[in-house]
Amino acid sequence: MTGTTTEISEPRALTPIKVTTLLPGYIESEIRDEHGRNPPYVTKAGVGAKALFKAVESETAKAYVPAFPWTPMSFVIRAMPIGRLKKLI
């Protein structure tokens, strides 16, 4: 998805339109609840919604939502072997 956002944002670089790539962590939702999994680091729906809104309003190019724990976790996830990552998540 990050590649798609890059394709959308590049032609708009010289316009007033801002594109934010949102990289959400686990946020409580009916869809997540249907799968019966209870992954770690689940954020309450209200907190997640506020974090999403804040990220879009800040007009940053890329935002991990909520910022904690997903910003520091992004470094761990990129460096971790897939086998270990599957056990963690």
Side-chain angles (χ1 to χ4, degrees), residues 21-45:
T21 303
L22 295 173
L23 301 160
Y26 295 118
I27 299 174
E28 278 185 346
S29 70
E30 292 175 9
I31 294 171
R32 192 196 62 79
D33 292 342
E34 287 177 9
H35 294 286
R37 291 182 60 216
N38 193 15
Y41 315 115
V42 175
T43 301
K44 298 285 183 191

Side-chain angles (χ1 to χ4, degrees), residues 11-67:
R12 289 161 182 77
L14 300 176
T15 71
I17 298 171
K18 304 292 182 199
V19 178
T20 300
T21 303
L22 295 173
L23 301 160
Y26 295 118
I27 299 174
E28 278 185 346
S29 70
E30 292 175 9
I31 294 171
R32 192 196 62 79
D33 292 342
E34 287 177 9
H35 294 286
R37 291 182 60 216
N38 193 15
Y41 315 115
V42 175
T43 301
K44 298 285 183 191
V47 173
K50 287 178 185 176
L52 288 166
F53 179 79
K54 183 178 175 183
V56 171
E57 286 294 307
S58 70
E59 297 183 349
T60 63
K62 181 162 115 177
Y64 295 94
V65 180

Side-chain angles (χ1 to χ4, degrees), residues 1-3 6-8 10 13 15 23-25 28 36 41 43 52-53 61 72-73 75 77 83:
M1 293 304 287
T2 320
T6 302
E7 289 178 23
I8 293 169
E10 284 178 356
T15 71
L23 301 160
E28 278 185 346
Y41 315 115
T43 301
L52 288 166
F53 179 79
M73 285 290 288
F75 297 104
I77 290 169

